[in-house]
Amino acid sequence: MGSGETTPRIEVRDLRKRFDGAWAVGGVSFEVRAGEIFGLLGPNGAGKTTTLRVLATLLRPTAGDALVNGYSVVREPQKVRAQLGVLPERAGLYDRLTAAENVRYFARLHGLPSGAIEERLRKLFDALEIDYGDKRAGRLSKGMRQKVALAAALIHEPPVLILDEPTSGLDVLAARQVRRFIARCKGPGRAIVFSTHLMHEAEALCDRIAVMHQGRILAVGTMEELRAASGARGLEEIFVRLVEEAQQEVGL
């Protein structure tokens, strides 16, 4: 690999992205370790999606860099893409293809042989309880579409998984099922980035959490570390205190 590393991980180094003169991401740094689910927690507009789109090589940073398994998103984007499974906030499926055809299509893009595709597809559909493999994606419910998109992101067994608001808009049961499946995806051979604005999701699912607000990371740590640093107990209170401190620093 680019840095000689064999352990899946992400290193974000002073990442910055500007749109029309405004900084959507203003100097973000963090590391995602192998075997963990790393949460990016913040409200809409915090810069989470922009950060993930840079990691997925969909956007080029204005400044800074990020390494995915040792490969630079700036200098080696094609090698980065080979390491990734990406679930965008809106499931990127082809409506005229069936659920199974969508997953097979993404599998072929990653160069998987037909035999491996069918075996992996069956296992993923069973694990995610996808019962409509022959139904066109355009006729699926939002929850089922999200599960199919998750299967497509995992079909090539990527070592790094990027999930942008994976339960957004899902009903309670579908969101719970997706969270449980994501928890089972964690292991020593995979690093997972999980973006959410939901406090309870981050607290229940993530090993470490980066609290993000207005394009900056205010704190990073386990729940115990965040509690100790802020003096608060629940994640909502921790978030509010961190934001208030940040506003005081800039005189707001």
Side-chain angles (χ1 to χ4, degrees), residues 86-100 102-103 106 125 128-133 135-153 165-171 174 177-178:
V86 180
L87 179 66
E89 185 174 358
R90 294 182 179 85
L93 302 177
Y94 295 94
D95 287 348
R96 295 182 63 84
L97 298 181
T98 67
N102 267 282
V103 178
F106 285 102
F125 275 31
L128 285 162
E129 298 182 20
I130 297 173
D131 301 322
Y132 302 99
K135 190 173 183 178
R136 286 189 178 183
R139 299 178 60 194
L140 297 175
S141 68
K142 180 173 176 59
M144 191 59 64
R145 284 177 64 88
Q146 197 75 336
K147 290 195 288 185
V148 173
L150 187 53
E165 299 276 2
T167 65
S168 177
L170 303 189
D171 62 48
Q177 188 178 22
V178 168

Side-chain angles (χ1 to χ4, degrees), residues 1-119:
M1 295 195 174
S3 66
E5 294 284 343
T6 58
T7 302
R9 64 175 184 171
I10 298 171
E11 296 175 73
V12 179
R13 302 173 175 175
D14 195 26
L15 198 67
R16 299 170 186 268
K17 182 62 182 178
R18 182 168 55 195
F19 296 105
D20 298 325
W23 290 101
V25 176
V28 164
S29 298
F30 60 86
E31 180 181 274
V32 184
R33 303 164 185 164
E36 75 172 347
I37 299 177
F38 181 89
L40 271 183
L41 174 69
N44 294 333
K48 305 188 306 295
T49 293
T50 299
T51 300
L52 296 189
R53 286 173 65 84
V54 171
L55 293 180
T57 73
L58 299 174
L59 291 174
R60 185 178 178 89
T62 305
D65 200 357
L67 303 182
V68 178
N69 273 6
Y71 296 118
S72 163
V73 298
V74 175
R75 299 184 305 275
E76 304 164 291
Q78 288 186 317
K79 292 179 179 178
V80 169
R81 290 179 202 125
Q83 309 298 312
L84 296 177
V86 180
L87 179 66
E89 185 174 358
R90 294 182 179 85
L93 302 177
Y94 295 94
D95 287 348
R96 295 182 63 84
L97 298 181
T98 67
E101 287 170 344
N102 267 282
V103 178
R104 290 189 189 104
Y105 171 74
F106 285 102
R108 293 190 187 102
L109 288 180
H110 288 284
L112 293 184
S114 297
I117 291 173
E118 295 308 312
E119 181 180 358

